[in-house]
Amino acid sequence: MSAHGINEWALDVTQPGLETWLEDHFRNHGLPRFFVWCIGVYDRRPLTEYGTVRMRTVLDTNLTALLVALRTVVAAAVEQRSPLRVVVVGSQASVNGGTDAVYAAAKAGCVAAVKSVAREYGRHGITANIVSPGPTNTTMAEVMGDERRRHYESTIPIGRFTEPLEVAAAAVWLLTEAPPAITGTVLDVDGGLVRR
Ligand SMILES: NC(=O)c1ccc[n+]([C@@H]2O[C@H](COP(=O)([O-])OP(=O)(O)OC[C@H]3O[C@@H](n4cnc5c(N)ncnc54)[C@H](OP(=O)(O)O)[C@@H]3O)[C@@H](O)[C@H]2O)c1
């Protein structure tokens, strides 16, 4: 447990304390060279069935918490003159829209946030990119149901869902071997679903 009573490896990012948790973590373990944000919630709920409280929670989880985390890690990197590579997991929903307007809107906000960080802090040695998955074989995709899954499988050019390891491989590449000139971009990892 940290000094703030938060289990070091279990934190609800919608609750106050994310910034303090990160600052404690950097103090105890050093500033990271790489920062990956993968957290997300997806209700697959029509907009008309969203209550305002749940709407705020979905926005907070998918977007506000990311902004808080980016503010914290970028400020620390700038202060310590430390290079930093950021990767945020977005979603094809940010381009195509989706069956959850709140989720799609939050993911579109993530893209704008990352592009802004790339633009504002590039001269400080900070790169920031989005990895944007299509439907991927994780528990999140299970809410979709068989009919929607079949629809996607017939629509995705490679004829199948993305595997989590394919998303991870793209993130690792951006964090390691990718040229630093690649920043502020969105890398689609979706079997060809989004064609920009
Ligand atoms: N699967 C897809 O089809 C798909 C498609 C496009 C984009 N994505 C994106 O891929 C990323 C990973 O999702 P996934 O598919 O791996 O889904 P997942 O299995 O549901 O994972 C979601 C993750 O977010 C964490 N999380 C949710 N709410 C949180 C909160 N309030 N505080 C802290 N952590 C929280 C969960 O932690 P716990 O396990 O502790 O709850 C879990 O680790 C997400 O950003 C998602 O939007 C997924």
Side-chain angles (χ1 to χ4, degrees):
M1 302 287 275
S2 78
H4 304 89
I6 298 168
N7 182 307
E8 189 169 10
W9 301 107
L11 173 71
D12 179 346
V13 297
T14 64
Q15 299 301 309
L18 173 59
E19 186 165 25
T20 310
W21 184 90
L22 285 168
E23 286 169 348
D24 278 357
H25 192 79
F26 300 157
R27 203 172 299 115
N28 294 333
H29 302 285
L31 194 59
R33 292 291 177 94
F34 314 117
F35 188 81
V36 179
W37 186 268
C38 191
I39 286 169
V41 283
Y42 170 61
D43 278 13
R44 194 169 189 268
R45 190 195 300 257
L47 184 59
T48 49
E49 291 176 18
Y50 255 99
T52 307
V53 171
R54 183 61 191 163
M55 195 181 281
R56 289 189 196 285
T57 302
V58 171
L59 286 172
D60 277 354
T61 310
N62 288 311
L63 181 58
T64 312
L66 167 68
L67 288 165
V68 171
L70 285 177
R71 181 181 67 194
T72 311
V73 71
V74 166
V78 169
E79 189 191 323
Q80 296 187 27
R81 298 172 189 256
S82 177
L84 176 69
R85 288 190 177 207
V86 174
V87 168
V88 172
V89 180
S91 171
Q92 59 83 25
S94 67
V95 178
N96 289 344
T99 46
D100 184 328
V102 181
Y103 174 82
K107 288 295 188 180
C110 292
V111 173
V114 164
K115 284 182 178 289
S116 302
V117 166
R119 178 175 169 171
E120 292 296 305
Y121 298 98
R123 287 173 195 277
H124 294 270
I126 295 172
T127 67
N129 292 289
I130 290 264
V131 170
S132 189
T136 303
N137 281 319
T138 70
T139 48
M140 185 176 281
E142 285 168 13
V143 295
M144 207 174 273
D146 289 344
E147 193 183 329
R148 190 74 186 161
R149 175 176 272 271
R150 278 195 296 278
H151 162 76
Y152 268 127
E153 284 169 348
S154 66
T155 312
I156 297 166
I158 64 171
R160 64 164 175 83
F161 278 27
T162 298
E163 293 300 330
L165 278 177
E166 295 177 292
V167 180
V172 168
W173 179 75
L174 284 168
L175 294 169
T176 55
E177 293 175 13
I182 296 179
T183 188
T185 65
V186 179
L187 179 55
D188 296 311
V189 186
D190 61 4
L193 183 62
V194 169
R195 294 178 290 280
R196 291 173 192 273

